[in-house]
Amino acid sequence: MTDTLAGGVGVWCGGEPGSGDGEFQGLLRAGTGIVEPVLREAVGRLHGSLASVCRYHLGWDGGDSRAPAVVRAGKRVRPALALLSVRAVGAPEGYAAVAGTAVELVHQLSLLHDDIMDGDTERRGRPTAWARFGTGAAVLAGDALVVQAVATIFHARAPGASAATEELISAVEQMVAGQAEDLALEHRCAHEVSVPGYVRMARGKTGALFGCAAALGAVLAQAPPTVVRALRGAGSDLGVAFQILDDVLGLWGDGALTGKPVGTDLVRGKKTLPLVLAAGSDSADGRRLAALLGPAPLPSAQVPEVMGLLEATRGRERAEEVAARHVASAVAALDAAELPADVRQQWHSLIDGLSQRRS
Amino acid sequence: MTDTLAGGVGVWCGGEPGSGDGEFQGLLRAGTGIVEPVLREAVGRLHGSLASVCRYHLGWDGGDSRAPAVVRAGKRVRPALALLSVRAVGAPEGYAAVAGTAVELVHQLSLLHDDIMDGDTERRGRPTAWARFGTGAAVLAGDALVVQAVATIFHARAPGASAATEELISAVEQMVAGQAEDLALEHRCAHEVSVPGYVRMARGKTGALFGCAAALGAVLAQAPPTVVRALRGAGSDLGVAFQILDDVLGLWGDGALTGKPVGTDLVRGKKTLPLVLAAGSDSADGRRLAALLGPAPLPSAQVPEVMGLLEATRGRERAEEVAARHVASAVAALDAAELPADVRQQWHSLIDGLSQRRS
């Protein structure tokens, strides 16, 4: 059993697993650094009560004097993608600030509302925003964020602002549809969900915004359509792989690192890819798993049995193989974009770093 | 005590109260007729599960075979305003379909999410969407609606589509800020809220989208800025008056007509204008009311006493006077827009009709 996706990914990227970790961390920091001031401006434009919710949710403050003032914020992967998007086409890095902010605002909306939808009371070791500020404030803060996202890109001072608005709207539409499909799949039996059905859902739920982040800076710069398409495709495939790794970490990751108790997805009836593959496998274990994973939530007591059946049917390895294929697709799309060598290397560091993430 | 706002409004509009009722109903029907096909297209673009939530919420179907297939839908005031917006500048009525759809989608989002925020389980005599389909589906359906709203106006085939997108984004920003202020006021004492503070909140929560509806068709047609400003101002003031009447109906209306149990706002701690005025009045009754209406929700048992004090302090009449002043402002703004006589008459019928509404 591989420990992460690194084995497969190392092959596709042609580098040593972990060799670009410094560059990966540097990219995340650079993305955050360029996006954060514009992100803070956008949040600062909100009604005071909603700005408080968002500052807390984004990890900028503790919401009151007793809570921790600084927490481990998210990874800000999408701002890093936005940075690579402008570097890919040699556009001004200021475009990355606007594009990365718009995409990050949408991502944060999705987290805020997801926590309400899932009834999750903890995120990153603290109460979720709705648990801390109430459902009303958190619903409304999410609404405010999506409007700020559109406003930010619509008002961008760039030749492609209008096309970028189109790109963002389309991504949010796809993201919401993907989330709806994810919810709908909770009420389906695992063996009724096909791998293409799962990938379609993941491409909406996670791939659409990754693709948008990867393309948006280039769209602002009015880069050639073939390049935009390649970047969007690479981002979208990377998003699907990211989602699959999320599924894997939710089952076999370290809850202390992911901030999510292992097995939560199982009990909730989420149709993660390892389950879909295992329940669809033509074996006695697969059929037993399919029988356990009906449309109703799984009783906690059955989690150990399900985990055992997942091992026996190689659900994890097979899911990782699907992820690796999407990573390969992303790399192929980037090759088609004919990036400058140094930017290509940065993209590979990002892909490699994301594939090896443990949280 | 006046029965409705009709007395004051008749004066401002220069007509007999109720004389234009047929024209008012005709305008609502015409607005609905022109907007509904585009609204249905927009809802039809959503993920199937979200489209189901929205169809039910909009009153188009019963959500399943047992629920009533047709219910009394909303009044669709905003589509009527959009229709008058294009008629004001002689633009194609097709612009009203797009503008009215965009605005109605935002309005429906606000209702969907409001019901979640307030924990309301009934709307128009049926379970609310979240009560029927779950919080997750209703949160997500609202997110989908706001994105569709922006997409609809952004893709409008009209010379002013870009300016109209700007207009809509700004209105949604103001609406969300107004809703946030409304929530924040729930935790304030009634006597601490000023009338200008209330009006600022109502101008955001309700006036912004009314103003947008009244202006958006003209913006699509690239009408002169002075006309757009006048229409937006008229709509905004009408929205404030509409909100005040909503407050009045919530306290003294017929629950069977409004679909909202009388006193709900009181118990929830909503700072409606009659309360604000009464609690701020310099009298023994006013001070008693201020003492009862602290930052905490009002116990149901105290509702009768509060209603008595509202009567004694003339909270209703004074609120209706403020509403009448905003109606007068709206009429003055329309006069400044120098509308064709027949369109001016239609605006007055709409204003008159809204002022006399009982639900």
Side-chain angles (χ1 to χ4, degrees):
Chain A
M1 192 170 79
T2 57
D3 193 27
T4 67
L5 292 178
V9 170
V11 174
W12 298 114
C13 291
E16 290 293 304
S19 66
D21 191 58
E23 189 162 35
F24 172 62
Q25 297 298 338
L27 277 170
L28 294 184
R29 273 195 305 275
T32 302
I34 206 160
V35 163
E36 192 117 328
V38 183
L39 196 57
R40 284 183 183 265
E41 269 174 44
V43 170
R45 277 192 291 274
L46 304 183
H47 185 277
S49 65
L50 302 182
S52 295
V53 176
C54 294
R55 279 197 307 269
Y56 173 85
H57 173 70
L58 281 152
W60 292 340
D61 68 36
D64 63 28
S65 55
R66 281 158 303 157
V70 176
V71 296
R72 189 167 57 90
K75 284 177 292 297
R76 308 280 195 265
V77 174
R78 293 156 195 82
L81 278 169
L83 182 58
L84 290 188
S85 179
V86 303
R87 287 184 179 168
V89 299
E93 296 212 343
Y95 290 2
V98 178
T101 294
V103 168
E104 188 65 18
L105 287 167
V106 172
H107 174 56
Q108 295 297 336
L109 141 79
S110 78
L111 296 181
L112 257 177
H113 281 185
D114 264 2
D115 285 340
I116 298 167
M117 288 157 51
D118 292 340
D120 284 337
T121 55
E122 276 212 10
R123 173 175 292 280
R124 297 184 199 118
R126 294 191 312 174
T128 48
W130 73 265
R132 168 72 183 74
F133 295 91
T135 303
V139 166
L140 209 45
D143 294 347
L145 288 182
V146 71
V147 179
Q148 276 307 309
V150 176
T152 297
I153 203 74
F154 182 75
H155 293 132
R157 288 186 198 156
S162 180
T165 304
E166 170 89 54
E167 181 89 27
L168 186 76
I169 289 173
S170 166
V172 184
E173 286 177 333
Q174 292 170 60
M175 181 188 82
V176 171
Q179 290 175 296
E181 183 64 14
D182 189 35
L183 273 184
L185 293 183
E186 287 182 16
H187 307 288
R188 297 275 299 279
C189 299
H191 70 278
E192 290 173 357
V193 181
S194 68
V195 175
Y198 169 90
V199 170
R200 196 163 50 241
M201 178 278 289
R203 201 176 284 288
K205 179 174 135 176
T206 310
L209 204 56
F210 264 66
C212 181
L216 204 56
V219 174
L220 282 173
Q222 294 189 315
T226 49
V227 174
V228 168
R229 202 155 39 235
L231 293 173
R232 187 193 299 122
S236 169
D237 271 314
L238 187 58
V240 173
F242 187 90
Q243 182 57 53
I244 295 171
L245 185 48
D246 219 55
D247 289 358
V248 168
L249 288 171
L251 287 162
W252 292 280
D254 179 346
L257 289 178
T258 62
K260 184 164 128 179
V262 169
T264 307
D265 285 345
L266 265 185
V267 173
R268 189 167 285 153
K270 285 275 176 216
K271 297 305 171 294
T272 54
L273 187 59
L275 287 199
V276 167
L277 287 162
S281 73
D282 187 20
S283 67
D285 288 332
R287 283 185 288 274
R288 169 75 188 137
L289 200 55
L292 285 171
L293 300 171
L298 186 76
S300 302
Q302 292 188 311
V303 168
E305 181 179 1
V306 167
M307 292 302 294
L309 292 166
L310 278 169
E311 297 282 344
T313 49
R314 298 185 63 254
R316 176 179 184 163
E317 291 81 348
R318 293 174 61 204
E320 288 176 343
E321 282 159 22
V322 177
R325 282 205 295 277
H326 283 90
V327 168
S329 248
V331 170
L334 287 174
D335 285 344
E338 298 182 353
L339 310 180
D342 59 330
V343 179
R344 182 175 181 279
Q345 175 54 40
Q346 291 169 21
W347 272 97
H348 282 207
S349 295
L350 186 77
I351 292 174
D352 211 25
L354 290 179
S355 304
Q356 293 178 51
R357 74 196 179 95
R358 287 160 190 263
S359 67
Chain B
M1 190 169 83
T2 56
D3 193 27
T4 67
L5 293 178
V9 170
V11 174
W12 298 115
C13 293
E16 291 292 304
S19 66
D21 191 58
E23 189 163 32
F24 171 62
Q25 297 297 339
L27 277 169
L28 294 185
R29 273 196 304 276
T32 302
I34 207 158
V35 163
E36 192 117 329
V38 184
L39 197 56
R40 282 183 184 266
E41 270 174 44
V43 170
R45 277 191 292 273
L46 304 183
H47 185 277
S49 65
L50 302 181
S52 294
V53 176
C54 294
R55 279 198 307 269
Y56 173 85
H57 174 69
L58 281 153
W60 291 340
D61 67 36
D64 63 29
S65 55
R66 282 158 301 156
V70 176
V71 296
R72 190 168 57 89
K75 285 176 291 298
R76 308 280 195 264
V77 174
R78 294 157 193 81
L81 278 169
L83 181 58
L84 289 187
S85 179
V86 304
R87 287 186 179 168
V89 299
E93 296 212 342
Y95 290 3
V98 178
T101 294
V103 169
E104 188 65 18
L105 287 167
V106 172
H107 175 54
Q108 296 297 338
L109 140 79
S110 78
L111 297 181
L112 257 177
H113 281 184
D114 264 2
D115 285 340
I116 299 167
M117 286 157 52
D118 293 340
D120 284 337
T121 55
E122 276 212 11
R123 173 175 292 279
R124 298 185 199 117
R126 295 191 310 175
T128 47
W130 73 264
R132 169 71 183 75
F133 294 91
T135 303
V139 166
L140 208 47
D143 295 348
L145 288 182
V146 72
V147 179
Q148 275 307 309
V150 176
T152 297
I153 204 73
F154 182 74
H155 293 132
R157 287 186 200 156
S162 180
T165 304
E166 170 89 54
E167 182 89 27
L168 186 77
I169 289 173
S170 165
V172 184
E173 286 177 335
Q174 292 170 60
M175 181 188 82
V176 171
Q179 290 175 296
E181 183 64 14
D182 190 35
L183 273 184
L185 293 184
E186 286 182 17
H187 306 288
R188 297 274 299 281
C189 300
H191 69 279
E192 289 174 356
V193 181
S194 68
V195 175
Y198 169 90
V199 170
R200 195 163 49 241
M201 177 278 289
R203 201 175 285 287
K205 178 174 134 176
T206 310
L209 203 57
F210 265 65
C212 180
L216 203 56
V219 174
L220 282 173
Q222 294 189 315
T226 50
V227 173
V228 169
R229 201 153 42 233
L231 293 173
R232 186 193 298 122
S236 169
D237 272 314
L238 187 57
V240 173
F242 188 89
Q243 182 56 52
I244 296 171
L245 184 47
D246 219 55
D247 290 358
V248 168
L249 289 171
L251 287 161
W252 293 280
D254 179 346
L257 289 178
T258 61
K260 184 164 128 179
V262 169
T264 307
D265 285 346
L266 265 184
V267 173
R268 187 168 287 153
K270 285 274 175 216
K271 297 306 172 294
T272 55
L273 187 59
L275 286 198
V276 167
L277 287 162
S281 73
D282 187 22
S283 68
D285 287 334
R287 283 184 290 274
R288 170 72 187 140
L289 200 55
L292 285 171
L293 300 171
L298 185 76
S300 301
Q302 292 187 311
V303 169
E305 183 180 1
V306 167
M307 292 303 292
L309 291 166
L310 278 170
E311 295 282 343
T313 49
R314 299 183 63 253
R316 176 180 183 162
E317 291 81 349
R318 294 173 61 205
E320 287 175 343
E321 284 160 20
V322 177
R325 283 205 294 278
H326 282 90
V327 168
S329 246
V331 170
L334 287 175
D335 285 345
E338 298 181 354
L339 309 180
D342 59 329
V343 179
R344 182 175 182 278
Q345 176 54 39
Q346 291 170 21
W347 272 98
H348 282 207
S349 294
L350 185 76
I351 292 174
D352 211 25
L354 290 179
S355 304
Q356 293 178 50
R357 75 195 178 97
R358 287 158 190 262
S359 68

